[in-house]
Amino acid sequence: MHRHDRDGFQLVDIVKLAPFTPYFVALPLMFAVSLVNQQFWQGQGGSNPLLQIVLEEGDPVALLIFFFTAAVAAPIFEETLFRGFLLPSLTRYLPVWGAIGVSSLIFATAHLSLSEVLPLTTLGIVLGTVYTRSRGLLASMLLHSLWNSVTMIGLFILGSGVE
């Protein structure tokens, strides 16, 4: 038997959306931070030169490899390193919020793009919070993978000139 609120929504259905809650929290937060960041950098700064080459070439195998790297390999490696190892190590010396902040800043700078430090630090804070609340790497890995996948699909669409 399902419980309904007064508008007819099933409360069980809302609970099913819970795994996506961090993504829907991160999305407007990252959008706002990216807007501020864009105003500061005004289109200057770094981007991945390899991505630009892959997009220009349009080679489907290269695009698939790039997508796999961003959507699967990077989240597994980065979450294991930054949330699985670094963040818990930092909690020995800092409060949890401090460890999340420091590990997020290191995560952002490891991407070697000065103009992306602010948005990537913000993403790192979201991922660190998800990790500490879930008490496991799977949730932050899945969120990281979802984030990178949506970002890559958007870049592929923009890079292909689809309007």
Side-chain angles (χ1 to χ4, degrees), residues 5-22:
D5 68 10
R6 60 188 158 121
D7 295 325
F9 290 104
Q10 292 184 355
L11 297 177
V12 175
D13 292 340
I14 293 170
V15 172
K16 289 178 185 175
L17 293 175
F20 298 103
T21 301

mmCIF file with all atom_site columns, all heavy atoms in Angstrom, residues 5-22:
data_model
loop_
_atom_site.group_PDB
_atom_site.id
_atom_site.type_symbol
_atom_site.label_atom_id
_atom_site.label_alt_id
_atom_site.label_comp_id
_atom_site.label_asym_id
_atom_site.label_entity_id
_atom_site.label_seq_id
_atom_site.pdbx_PDB_ins_code
_atom_site.Cartn_x
_atom_site.Cartn_y
_atom_site.Cartn_z
_atom_site.occupancy
_atom_site.B_iso_or_equiv
_atom_site.pdbx_formal_charge
_atom_site.auth_seq_id
_atom_site.auth_comp_id
_atom_site.auth_asym_id
_atom_site.auth_atom_id
_atom_site.pdbx_PDB_model_num
ATOM 1   N N   . ASP A 1 5  ? 0.309  11.959 -0.324  1.00 0.00 ? 5  ASP A N   1
ATOM 2   C CA  . ASP A 1 5  ? 0.076  13.232 0.339   1.00 0.00 ? 5  ASP A CA  1
ATOM 3   C C   . ASP A 1 5  ? -1.208 13.827 -0.224  1.00 0.00 ? 5  ASP A C   1
ATOM 4   O O   . ASP A 1 5  ? -1.879 13.217 -1.043  1.00 0.00 ? 5  ASP A O   1
ATOM 5   C CB  . ASP A 1 5  ? 1.273  14.175 0.180   1.00 0.00 ? 5  ASP A CB  1
ATOM 6   C CG  . ASP A 1 5  ? 1.491  14.650 -1.243  1.00 0.00 ? 5  ASP A CG  1
ATOM 7   O OD1 . ASP A 1 5  ? 0.612  14.405 -2.091  1.00 0.00 ? 5  ASP A OD1 1
ATOM 8   O OD2 . ASP A 1 5  ? 2.526  15.279 -1.504  1.00 0.00 ? 5  ASP A OD2 1
ATOM 9   N N   . ARG A 1 6  ? -1.556 15.008 0.191   1.00 0.00 ? 6  ARG A N   1
ATOM 10  C CA  . ARG A 1 6  ? -2.847 15.563 -0.202  1.00 0.00 ? 6  ARG A CA  1
ATOM 11  C C   . ARG A 1 6  ? -2.943 15.898 -1.681  1.00 0.00 ? 6  ARG A C   1
ATOM 12  O O   . ARG A 1 6  ? -4.028 16.057 -2.205  1.00 0.00 ? 6  ARG A O   1
ATOM 13  C CB  . ARG A 1 6  ? -3.184 16.776 0.649   1.00 0.00 ? 6  ARG A CB  1
ATOM 14  C CG  . ARG A 1 6  ? -2.191 17.896 0.537   1.00 0.00 ? 6  ARG A CG  1
ATOM 15  C CD  . ARG A 1 6  ? -2.522 18.956 1.584   1.00 0.00 ? 6  ARG A CD  1
ATOM 16  N NE  . ARG A 1 6  ? -1.329 19.730 1.821   1.00 0.00 ? 6  ARG A NE  1
ATOM 17  C CZ  . ARG A 1 6  ? -1.241 21.018 1.637   1.00 0.00 ? 6  ARG A CZ  1
ATOM 18  N NH1 . ARG A 1 6  ? -2.291 21.698 1.264   1.00 0.00 ? 6  ARG A NH1 1
ATOM 19  N NH2 . ARG A 1 6  ? -0.126 21.649 1.852   1.00 0.00 ? 6  ARG A NH2 1
ATOM 20  N N   . ASP A 1 7  ? -1.816 16.021 -2.389  1.00 0.00 ? 7  ASP A N   1
ATOM 21  C CA  . ASP A 1 7  ? -1.849 16.310 -3.826  1.00 0.00 ? 7  ASP A CA  1
ATOM 22  C C   . ASP A 1 7  ? -1.809 15.048 -4.672  1.00 0.00 ? 7  ASP A C   1
ATOM 23  O O   . ASP A 1 7  ? -1.782 15.120 -5.891  1.00 0.00 ? 7  ASP A O   1
ATOM 24  C CB  . ASP A 1 7  ? -0.684 17.226 -4.219  1.00 0.00 ? 7  ASP A CB  1
ATOM 25  C CG  . ASP A 1 7  ? -0.796 18.599 -3.570  1.00 0.00 ? 7  ASP A CG  1
ATOM 26  O OD1 . ASP A 1 7  ? -1.948 19.073 -3.409  1.00 0.00 ? 7  ASP A OD1 1
ATOM 27  O OD2 . ASP A 1 7  ? 0.240  19.177 -3.214  1.00 0.00 ? 7  ASP A OD2 1
ATOM 28  N N   . GLY A 1 8  ? -1.755 13.895 -4.066  1.00 0.00 ? 8  GLY A N   1
ATOM 29  C CA  . GLY A 1 8  ? -1.792 12.645 -4.806  1.00 0.00 ? 8  GLY A CA  1
ATOM 30  C C   . GLY A 1 8  ? -0.428 12.072 -5.162  1.00 0.00 ? 8  GLY A C   1
ATOM 31  O O   . GLY A 1 8  ? -0.337 11.060 -5.830  1.00 0.00 ? 8  GLY A O   1
ATOM 32  N N   . PHE A 1 9  ? 0.671  12.732 -4.749  1.00 0.00 ? 9  PHE A N   1
ATOM 33  C CA  . PHE A 1 9  ? 1.988  12.196 -5.042  1.00 0.00 ? 9  PHE A CA  1
ATOM 34  C C   . PHE A 1 9  ? 2.281  11.037 -4.101  1.00 0.00 ? 9  PHE A C   1
ATOM 35  O O   . PHE A 1 9  ? 1.944  11.078 -2.922  1.00 0.00 ? 9  PHE A O   1
ATOM 36  C CB  . PHE A 1 9  ? 3.079  13.255 -4.859  1.00 0.00 ? 9  PHE A CB  1
ATOM 37  C CG  . PHE A 1 9  ? 3.035  14.324 -5.892  1.00 0.00 ? 9  PHE A CG  1
ATOM 38  C CD1 . PHE A 1 9  ? 2.533  15.579 -5.602  1.00 0.00 ? 9  PHE A CD1 1
ATOM 39  C CD2 . PHE A 1 9  ? 3.515  14.073 -7.166  1.00 0.00 ? 9  PHE A CD2 1
ATOM 40  C CE1 . PHE A 1 9  ? 2.492  16.563 -6.556  1.00 0.00 ? 9  PHE A CE1 1
ATOM 41  C CE2 . PHE A 1 9  ? 3.481  15.057 -8.133  1.00 0.00 ? 9  PHE A CE2 1
ATOM 42  C CZ  . PHE A 1 9  ? 2.965  16.308 -7.829  1.00 0.00 ? 9  PHE A CZ  1
ATOM 43  N N   . GLN A 1 10 ? 2.898  10.028 -4.644  1.00 0.00 ? 10 GLN A N   1
ATOM 44  C CA  . GLN A 1 10 ? 3.278  8.897  -3.805  1.00 0.00 ? 10 GLN A CA  1
ATOM 45  C C   . GLN A 1 10 ? 4.594  9.212  -3.125  1.00 0.00 ? 10 GLN A C   1
ATOM 46  O O   . GLN A 1 10 ? 5.578  9.537  -3.788  1.00 0.00 ? 10 GLN A O   1
ATOM 47  C CB  . GLN A 1 10 ? 3.405  7.625  -4.633  1.00 0.00 ? 10 GLN A CB  1
ATOM 48  C CG  . GLN A 1 10 ? 2.093  7.130  -5.176  1.00 0.00 ? 10 GLN A CG  1
ATOM 49  C CD  . GLN A 1 10 ? 2.257  5.818  -5.915  1.00 0.00 ? 10 GLN A CD  1
ATOM 50  O OE1 . GLN A 1 10 ? 3.357  5.329  -6.108  1.00 0.00 ? 10 GLN A OE1 1
ATOM 51  N NE2 . GLN A 1 10 ? 1.140  5.247  -6.322  1.00 0.00 ? 10 GLN A NE2 1
ATOM 52  N N   . LEU A 1 11 ? 4.621  9.127  -1.819  1.00 0.00 ? 11 LEU A N   1
ATOM 53  C CA  . LEU A 1 11 ? 5.840  9.399  -1.077  1.00 0.00 ? 11 LEU A CA  1
ATOM 54  C C   . LEU A 1 11 ? 6.931  8.406  -1.437  1.00 0.00 ? 11 LEU A C   1
ATOM 55  O O   . LEU A 1 11 ? 8.108  8.752  -1.449  1.00 0.00 ? 11 LEU A O   1
ATOM 56  C CB  . LEU A 1 11 ? 5.558  9.382  0.422   1.00 0.00 ? 11 LEU A CB  1
ATOM 57  C CG  . LEU A 1 11 ? 4.586  10.461 0.920   1.00 0.00 ? 11 LEU A CG  1
ATOM 58  C CD1 . LEU A 1 11 ? 4.335  10.285 2.413   1.00 0.00 ? 11 LEU A CD1 1
ATOM 59  C CD2 . LEU A 1 11 ? 5.118  11.842 0.636   1.00 0.00 ? 11 LEU A CD2 1
ATOM 60  N N   . VAL A 1 12 ? 6.570  7.189  -1.769  1.00 0.00 ? 12 VAL A N   1
ATOM 61  C CA  . VAL A 1 12 ? 7.540  6.169  -2.165  1.00 0.00 ? 12 VAL A CA  1
ATOM 62  C C   . VAL A 1 12 ? 8.276  6.619  -3.429  1.00 0.00 ? 12 VAL A C   1
ATOM 63  O O   . VAL A 1 12 ? 9.477  6.432  -3.568  1.00 0.00 ? 12 VAL A O   1
ATOM 64  C CB  . VAL A 1 12 ? 6.844  4.808  -2.373  1.00 0.00 ? 12 VAL A CB  1
ATOM 65  C CG1 . VAL A 1 12 ? 7.826  3.782  -2.913  1.00 0.00 ? 12 VAL A CG1 1
ATOM 66  C CG2 . VAL A 1 12 ? 6.224  4.323  -1.078  1.00 0.00 ? 12 VAL A CG2 1
ATOM 67  N N   . ASP A 1 13 ? 7.564  7.252  -4.359  1.00 0.00 ? 13 ASP A N   1
ATOM 68  C CA  . ASP A 1 13 ? 8.185  7.712  -5.599  1.00 0.00 ? 13 ASP A CA  1
ATOM 69  C C   . ASP A 1 13 ? 9.225  8.795  -5.338  1.00 0.00 ? 13 ASP A C   1
ATOM 70  O O   . ASP A 1 13 ? 10.252 8.851  -5.999  1.00 0.00 ? 13 ASP A O   1
ATOM 71  C CB  . ASP A 1 13 ? 7.129  8.236  -6.574  1.00 0.00 ? 13 ASP A CB  1
ATOM 72  C CG  . ASP A 1 13 ? 6.235  7.128  -7.106  1.00 0.00 ? 13 ASP A CG  1
ATOM 73  O OD1 . ASP A 1 13 ? 6.649  5.958  -7.029  1.00 0.00 ? 13 ASP A OD1 1
ATOM 74  O OD2 . ASP A 1 13 ? 5.127  7.441  -7.579  1.00 0.00 ? 13 ASP A OD2 1
ATOM 75  N N   . ILE A 1 14 ? 8.961  9.657  -4.368  1.00 0.00 ? 14 ILE A N   1
ATOM 76  C CA  . ILE A 1 14 ? 9.922  10.703 -4.034  1.00 0.00 ? 14 ILE A CA  1
ATOM 77  C C   . ILE A 1 14 ? 11.190 10.083 -3.465  1.00 0.00 ? 14 ILE A C   1
ATOM 78  O O   . ILE A 1 14 ? 12.296 10.503 -3.788  1.00 0.00 ? 14 ILE A O   1
ATOM 79  C CB  . ILE A 1 14 ? 9.288  11.709 -3.053  1.00 0.00 ? 14 ILE A CB  1
ATOM 80  C CG1 . ILE A 1 14 ? 8.160  12.469 -3.761  1.00 0.00 ? 14 ILE A CG1 1
ATOM 81  C CG2 . ILE A 1 14 ? 10.327 12.680 -2.511  1.00 0.00 ? 14 ILE A CG2 1
ATOM 82  C CD1 . ILE A 1 14 ? 7.302  13.308 -2.844  1.00 0.00 ? 14 ILE A CD1 1
ATOM 83  N N   . VAL A 1 15 ? 11.047 9.059  -2.634  1.00 0.00 ? 15 VAL A N   1
ATOM 84  C CA  . VAL A 1 15 ? 12.200 8.385  -2.052  1.00 0.00 ? 15 VAL A CA  1
ATOM 85  C C   . VAL A 1 15 ? 13.063 7.750  -3.148  1.00 0.00 ? 15 VAL A C   1
ATOM 86  O O   . VAL A 1 15 ? 14.283 7.717  -3.052  1.00 0.00 ? 15 VAL A O   1
ATOM 87  C CB  . VAL A 1 15 ? 11.749 7.336  -1.006  1.00 0.00 ? 15 VAL A CB  1
ATOM 88  C CG1 . VAL A 1 15 ? 12.907 6.483  -0.532  1.00 0.00 ? 15 VAL A CG1 1
ATOM 89  C CG2 . VAL A 1 15 ? 11.077 8.032  0.162   1.00 0.00 ? 15 VAL A CG2 1
ATOM 90  N N   . LYS A 1 16 ? 12.443 7.284  -4.229  1.00 0.00 ? 16 LYS A N   1
ATOM 91  C CA  . LYS A 1 16 ? 13.196 6.671  -5.324  1.00 0.00 ? 16 LYS A CA  1
ATOM 92  C C   . LYS A 1 16 ? 14.125 7.683  -5.989  1.00 0.00 ? 16 LYS A C   1
ATOM 93  O O   . LYS A 1 16 ? 15.116 7.311  -6.604  1.00 0.00 ? 16 LYS A O   1
ATOM 94  C CB  . LYS A 1 16 ? 12.246 6.085  -6.370  1.00 0.00 ? 16 LYS A CB  1
ATOM 95  C CG  . LYS A 1 16 ? 11.523 4.850  -5.903  1.00 0.00 ? 16 LYS A CG  1
ATOM 96  C CD  . LYS A 1 16 ? 10.561 4.361  -6.973  1.00 0.00 ? 16 LYS A CD  1
ATOM 97  C CE  . LYS A 1 16 ? 9.733  3.207  -6.476  1.00 0.00 ? 16 LYS A CE  1
ATOM 98  N NZ  . LYS A 1 16 ? 8.723  2.809  -7.455  1.00 0.00 ? 16 LYS A NZ  1
ATOM 99  N N   . LEU A 1 17 ? 13.819 8.974  -5.885  1.00 0.00 ? 17 LEU A N   1
ATOM 100 C CA  . LEU A 1 17 ? 14.666 10.011 -6.469  1.00 0.00 ? 17 LEU A CA  1
ATOM 101 C C   . LEU A 1 17 ? 15.869 10.343 -5.593  1.00 0.00 ? 17 LEU A C   1
ATOM 102 O O   . LEU A 1 17 ? 16.768 11.040 -6.028  1.00 0.00 ? 17 LEU A O   1
ATOM 103 C CB  . LEU A 1 17 ? 13.848 11.285 -6.714  1.00 0.00 ? 17 LEU A CB  1
ATOM 104 C CG  . LEU A 1 17 ? 12.756 11.205 -7.766  1.00 0.00 ? 17 LEU A CG  1
ATOM 105 C CD1 . LEU A 1 17 ? 11.970 12.504 -7.796  1.00 0.00 ? 17 LEU A CD1 1
ATOM 106 C CD2 . LEU A 1 17 ? 13.346 10.910 -9.133  1.00 0.00 ? 17 LEU A CD2 1
ATOM 107 N N   . ALA A 1 18 ? 15.896 9.866  -4.372  1.00 0.00 ? 18 ALA A N   1
ATOM 108 C CA  . ALA A 1 18 ? 16.943 10.214 -3.414  1.00 0.00 ? 18 ALA A CA  1
ATOM 109 C C   . ALA A 1 18 ? 18.364 10.005 -3.931  1.00 0.00 ? 18 ALA A C   1
ATOM 110 O O   . ALA A 1 18 ? 19.222 10.846 -3.674  1.00 0.00 ? 18 ALA A O   1
ATOM 111 C CB  . ALA A 1 18 ? 16.730 9.459  -2.108  1.00 0.00 ? 18 ALA A CB  1
ATOM 112 N N   . PRO A 1 19 ? 18.677 8.937  -4.671  1.00 0.00 ? 19 PRO A N   1
ATOM 113 C CA  . PRO A 1 19 ? 20.050 8.791  -5.149  1.00 0.00 ? 19 PRO A CA  1
ATOM 114 C C   . PRO A 1 19 ? 20.486 9.921  -6.084  1.00 0.00 ? 19 PRO A C   1
ATOM 115 O O   . PRO A 1 19 ? 21.674 10.193 -6.216  1.00 0.00 ? 19 PRO A O   1
ATOM 116 C CB  . PRO A 1 19 ? 20.034 7.454  -5.910  1.00 0.00 ? 19 PRO A CB  1
ATOM 117 C CG  . PRO A 1 19 ? 18.887 6.709  -5.336  1.00 0.00 ? 19 PRO A CG  1
ATOM 118 C CD  . PRO A 1 19 ? 17.872 7.757  -4.963  1.00 0.00 ? 19 PRO A CD  1
ATOM 119 N N   . PHE A 1 20 ? 19.543 10.593 -6.720  1.00 0.00 ? 20 PHE A N   1
ATOM 120 C CA  . PHE A 1 20 ? 19.887 11.673 -7.640  1.00 0.00 ? 20 PHE A CA  1
ATOM 121 C C   . PHE A 1 20 ? 19.912 13.037 -6.962  1.00 0.00 ? 20 PHE A C   1
ATOM 122 O O   . PHE A 1 20 ? 20.289 14.021 -7.569  1.00 0.00 ? 20 PHE A O   1
ATOM 123 C CB  . PHE A 1 20 ? 18.907 11.696 -8.819  1.00 0.00 ? 20 PHE A CB  1
ATOM 124 C CG  . PHE A 1 20 ? 18.961 10.442 -9.627  1.00 0.00 ? 20 PHE A CG  1
ATOM 125 C CD1 . PHE A 1 20 ? 17.975 9.472  -9.500  1.00 0.00 ? 20 PHE A CD1 1
ATOM 126 C CD2 . PHE A 1 20 ? 20.010 10.209 -10.503 1.00 0.00 ? 20 PHE A CD2 1
ATOM 127 C CE1 . PHE A 1 20 ? 18.035 8.303  -10.235 1.00 0.00 ? 20 PHE A CE1 1
ATOM 128 C CE2 . PHE A 1 20 ? 20.082 9.044  -11.233 1.00 0.00 ? 20 PHE A CE2 1
ATOM 129 C CZ  . PHE A 1 20 ? 19.084 8.082  -11.100 1.00 0.00 ? 20 PHE A CZ  1
ATOM 130 N N   . THR A 1 21 ? 19.526 13.097 -5.698  1.00 0.00 ? 21 THR A N   1
ATOM 131 C CA  . THR A 1 21 ? 19.475 14.362 -4.978  1.00 0.00 ? 21 THR A CA  1
ATOM 132 C C   . THR A 1 21 ? 20.808 15.110 -5.017  1.00 0.00 ? 21 THR A C   1
ATOM 133 O O   . THR A 1 21 ? 20.818 16.308 -5.296  1.00 0.00 ? 21 THR A O   1
ATOM 134 C CB  . THR A 1 21 ? 19.003 14.139 -3.526  1.00 0.00 ? 21 THR A CB  1
ATOM 135 O OG1 . THR A 1 21 ? 17.712 13.535 -3.561  1.00 0.00 ? 21 THR A OG1 1
ATOM 136 C CG2 . THR A 1 21 ? 18.949 15.448 -2.754  1.00 0.00 ? 21 THR A CG2 1
ATOM 137 N N   . PRO A 1 22 ? 21.955 14.452 -4.755  1.00 0.00 ? 22 PRO A N   1
ATOM 138 C CA  . PRO A 1 22 ? 23.219 15.204 -4.809  1.00 0.00 ? 22 PRO A CA  1
ATOM 139 C C   . PRO A 1 22 ? 23.470 15.834 -6.187  1.00 0.00 ? 22 PRO A C   1
ATOM 140 O O   . PRO A 1 22 ? 23.996 16.941 -6.275  1.00 0.00 ? 22 PRO A O   1
ATOM 141 C CB  . PRO A 1 22 ? 24.288 14.159 -4.492  1.00 0.00 ? 22 PRO A CB  1
ATOM 142 C CG  . PRO A 1 22 ? 23.566 13.105 -3.738  1.00 0.00 ? 22 PRO A CG  1
ATOM 143 C CD  . PRO A 1 22 ? 22.178 13.084 -4.302  1.00 0.00 ? 22 PRO A CD  1
#
